Amino acid sequence: MTDKTGIVYLIGAGPGDPGLLTIKAKECIETADVVVYDYLASPFLLNYAKRDAQIIYVGKKGGDHTLSQEKINLLLVDKAKQGFDVARLKGGDPFVFGRGGEEAQMLLSHKVPYEVVPGVTSAIAAPAYAGIPVTHRDHTSFVSFITGHEDPTKKDTSMQWDVYAKSNATLVFLMGVKNLENIVKNLIKHGKKSDTPVALVRWGTTARQMTVTGTLETIAERVKKVKLKSPAIIVIGHVVSLRDELSWFDKKPLFGKRIVITRARAQASGLVSRLSKLGAQCIEIPTIQIVPPEETAPLINSIENIKDYDWLIFTSVNGVKFFFDALFDMGHDVRILGHLKFACIGPVTKERLKTYCIISDILPASYRAESVIDAFSTVKIKGKKILLPRAKQARTVLPKELTKMGAIVDDIAAYETRLNTDGKEDLMSLLKNSEIDAITFTSSSTVSNFMSQIESKSVKKLLKNVVIASIGPITSDTARSLDIYPDIEAKEFTIKGLVNSLLEYYDGK
Ligand code: SAH
């Protein structure tokens, strides 16, 4: 407990695409002590929270188990009074049907300071991602946001059906899926033309986005047929017809594909951002954790004696990172490496090395240990001393071959990979509910760790309709040895190569 009252930020978390969060919202999440969110706010945004922030989930879909609005209000007041800064994340914009106004009033009455961070509302963003501009000079110059939640048959309705029906505004209904039939019936009854175009956009701006179009006359039937459920935006008006011409998001090559990322979280961002840009929904279930080696002496000693070496070879970004972490921790800087020659496996490793202002002397043509050996065939390494800081469990091909060529190789553990089982339950439930389209494996350990988490007797059944994508032949070999058969193997053994192979695969489907 502190004397200070914390501040509550009522934050619009945007409609679902994490990229639609505002910079200000991100800053508030990063500094908050407590983050309160509900089911419309993308859980991805929680990654921005401080490590020790309290994360509180207050709402489940369909209203079940939802903390009542009153309890949420009290929670916000309580946490602020305890001195915590609170980020209250609300889907879309907090003041567009978000009850943000009520939360602000409540905070005010308890003398809790608050700020509002507006967000991108789903009322505009979901239509936009479906290729529907809510205004357009040729169609309409005015748009209404209307609650679809109110029972349109109730007596003291505040719904002005005649106004909606007569105006040529684009009508955007939120929370209206259950009432769709009543909404269209009332509009037609009050004179709106039955051939007026209508679209429903469910989970707009996310890889789960689904759009159904029709007219006032046909839409209810079509929605029933595909069993489209909440949350969805209903857009009514001539602008809907522009979708035929302007749809863009659902045309992305991996649109709608749910792809599991098994690599360590710290390394996943490149793959996640590439796949997301192509429209895929990435589900991060890291199967490995990357940590410093348990035994640190060999790495420390090799850095202490770095002047004895001629070459430094890095086989991964992690090797570079953990080597330099240790070097800096020991109070050195890159000047102690001035006499060395460098080799890197892979362009990404090379780029990482460059961030330490060192350019690799050798970059093999392809990204396997075998190619490094080829690359060294033109260099005199007989009698030269090579330091190889890499994963503890790494393959022995490279040091063996270099030794055969007459080099003296010190194969040192710069880091270790450990099994991460945090996502096990999520993984099993997604697999059982057929909610995964593809799984990516980016190293042998991602495969073996993945396999150790799923019930082996049901593997075949669980993975039956799941596309298995491997980054290269070694990972594929490991997979096959564990009875998983990759459908895709990258031609270039990099993240870019893996993504390209996924693209080719789905393009050919
Ligand atoms: N404050 C929110 C709206 C909250 S009301 C905003 O500004 O977006 C909840 C309703 O918002 C849902 O019933 C649905 O109609 C709509 N909604 C929220 N997110 C959505 C999304 N990603 N796609 C479609 N509709 C969404």
Side-chain angles (χ1 to χ4, degrees):
M1 281 288 247
T2 66
D3 295 340
K4 164 192 158 266
T5 301
I7 183 167
V8 177
Y9 295 100
L10 298 171
I11 300 173
D17 177 349
L20 294 176
L21 188 76
T22 65
I23 292 168
K24 185 159 184 181
K26 179 170 172 268
E27 283 168 2
C28 291
I29 301 170
E30 282 166 350
T31 55
D33 306 304
V34 180
V35 179
V36 179
Y37 76 110
D38 55 40
Y39 95 111
L40 283 175
S42 164
F44 177 86
L45 306 178
L46 303 175
N47 291 337
Y48 295 132
K50 289 194 287 202
R51 277 183 87 96
D52 57 348
Q54 278 183 62
I55 310 278
I56 305 175
Y57 179 67
V58 292
K60 268 196 184 149
K61 59 186 164 190
D64 304 336
H65 313 293
T66 311
L67 219 55
S68 68
Q69 186 62 43
E70 203 178 321
K71 284 199 176 134
I72 296 174
N73 292 347
L74 288 176
L75 176 76
L76 299 179
V77 170
D78 238 37
K79 291 292 175 191
K81 293 269 180 191
Q82 285 172 37
F84 296 124
D85 288 342
V86 182
R88 163 66 169 131
L89 296 182
K90 300 174 79 70
D93 178 89
F95 279 7
V96 177
F97 298 123
R99 304 189 75 166
E102 290 160 54
E103 287 176 16
Q105 284 169 321
M106 170 79 174
L107 294 168
L108 185 68
S109 70
H110 283 83
K111 299 195 169 53
V112 171
Y114 67 89
E115 284 185 24
V116 182
V117 182
V120 175
T121 177
S122 62
I124 295 171
Y129 270 52
I132 304 169
V134 289
T135 71
H136 187 290
R137 282 208 301 179
D138 297 341
H139 297 270
T140 179
S141 48
F142 125 62
V143 53
S144 300
F145 298 157
I146 308 163
T147 172
H149 194 52
E150 195 187 282
D151 180 354
T153 58
K154 89 172 185 198
K155 269 223 163 94
D156 304 325
T157 177
S158 60
M159 305 297 277
Q160 298 179 289
W161 293 110
D162 52 335
V163 178
Y164 311 146
K166 286 193 181 78
S167 86
N168 88 332
T170 302
L171 306 177
V172 178
F173 284 88
L174 292 91
M175 303 174 281
V177 180
K178 277 200 185 136
N179 263 328
L180 179 63
E181 262 177 61
N182 283 320
I183 291 169
V184 294
K185 230 188 265 166
N186 271 293
L187 289 171
I188 292 174
K189 187 169 124 198
H190 288 84
K192 199 147 190 86
K193 283 198 174 148
S194 59
D195 63 355
T196 310
V198 183
L200 270 82
V201 187
R202 181 175 196 232
W203 283 123
T205 80
T206 75
R208 299 155 76 185
Q209 177 169 309
M210 177 180 179
T211 306
V212 179
T213 54
T215 62
L216 277 182
E217 180 121 55
T218 60
I219 194 73
E221 201 51 47
R222 290 190 183 182
V223 163
K224 219 190 243 169
K225 211 167 171 186
V226 296
K227 299 195 175 91
L228 184 144
K229 298 213 165 58
S230 187
I233 291 291
I234 305 170
V235 200
I236 303 173
H238 289 287
V239 285
V240 170
S241 59
L242 290 164
R243 171 174 159 78
D244 291 341
E245 188 188 338
L246 298 183
S247 78
W248 59 275
F249 184 57
D250 25 14
K251 288 192 179 137
K252 288 190 170 231
L254 296 181
F255 173 74
K257 300 282 177 274
R258 297 155 299 181
I259 303 180
V260 171
I261 314 294
T262 53
R263 56 181 351 203
R265 198 175 288 283
Q267 285 185 296
S269 64
L271 182 55
V272 170
S273 77
R274 276 174 201 270
L275 291 174
S276 305
K277 276 193 189 129
L278 294 164
Q281 180 190 350
C282 293
I283 305 164
E284 282 189 59
I285 303 189
T287 57
I288 49 183
Q289 259 175 310
I290 294 164
V291 293
E294 207 170 321
E295 217 189 312
T296 51
L299 180 62
I300 290 174
N301 288 343
S302 65
I303 294 173
E304 227 33 284
N305 298 315
I306 199 76
K307 60 178 185 328
D308 298 341
Y309 292 94
D310 303 295
W311 280 89
L312 189 46
I313 303 182
F314 290 113
T315 59
S316 71
V317 166
N318 288 319
V320 178
K321 177 192 179 303
F322 284 93
F323 176 83
F324 281 97
D325 282 356
L327 184 142
F328 295 137
D329 281 350
M330 290 163 69
H332 297 300
D333 64 33
V334 289
R335 286 173 297 178
I336 66 161
L337 308 177
H339 64 289
L340 291 168
K341 290 225 175 266
F342 288 82
C344 285
I345 296 196
V348 183
T349 308
K350 178 188 140 197
E351 282 311 308
R352 186 58 175 260
L353 181 64
K354 210 167 159 189
T355 65
Y356 296 95
C357 300
I358 295 170
I359 293 176
S360 183
D361 296 281
I362 287 188
L363 182 68
S366 120
Y367 315 125
R368 298 175 64 185
E370 287 77 354
S371 308
V372 184
I373 297 155
D374 281 348
F376 268 104
S377 60
T378 56
V379 180
K380 279 216 168 74
I381 55 163
K382 195 160 182 214
K384 300 280 186 224
K385 220 174 156 194
I386 298 180
L387 179 61
L388 188 58
R390 54 186 199 146
K392 190 179 166 202
Q393 308 91 333
R395 297 165 67 227
T396 52
V397 185
L398 182 58
K400 266 191 192 151
E401 290 298 319
L402 291 169
T403 309
K404 264 194 215 157
M405 292 162 88
I408 304 143
V409 183
D410 276 348
D411 187 7
I412 300 291
Y415 62 94
E416 289 179 23
T417 58
R418 293 226 183 108
L419 176 65
N420 182 349
T421 55
D422 293 352
K424 187 175 171 176
E425 276 174 29
D426 286 348
L427 177 66
M428 282 312 290
S429 122
L430 289 166
L431 283 171
K432 281 182 180 154
N433 296 319
S434 306
E435 288 178 297
I436 294 176
D437 293 298
I439 301 178
T440 55
F441 292 115
T442 46
S443 66
S444 291
S445 44
T446 59
V447 189
S448 44
N449 289 1
F450 173 86
M451 285 304 284
S452 72
Q453 299 187 44
I454 57 175
E455 296 148 16
S456 55
K457 58 180 186 331
S458 41
V459 173
K460 280 240 154 64
K461 200 167 138 213
L462 289 173
L463 298 181
K464 192 167 158 237
N465 294 315
V466 178
V467 174
I468 304 293
S470 149
I471 197 163
I474 294 165
T475 304
S476 303
D477 282 348
T478 307
R480 282 187 288 266
S481 74
L482 294 167
D483 228 13
I484 318 184
Y485 298 89
D487 304 279
I488 297 174
E489 183 182 282
K491 293 195 186 83
E492 186 193 281
F493 317 140
T494 60
I495 292 301
K496 194 171 149 210
L498 178 63
V499 172
N500 283 340
S501 302
L502 273 159
L503 268 176
E504 268 173 34
Y505 177 87
Y506 282 113
D507 196 33
K509 282 260 147 180

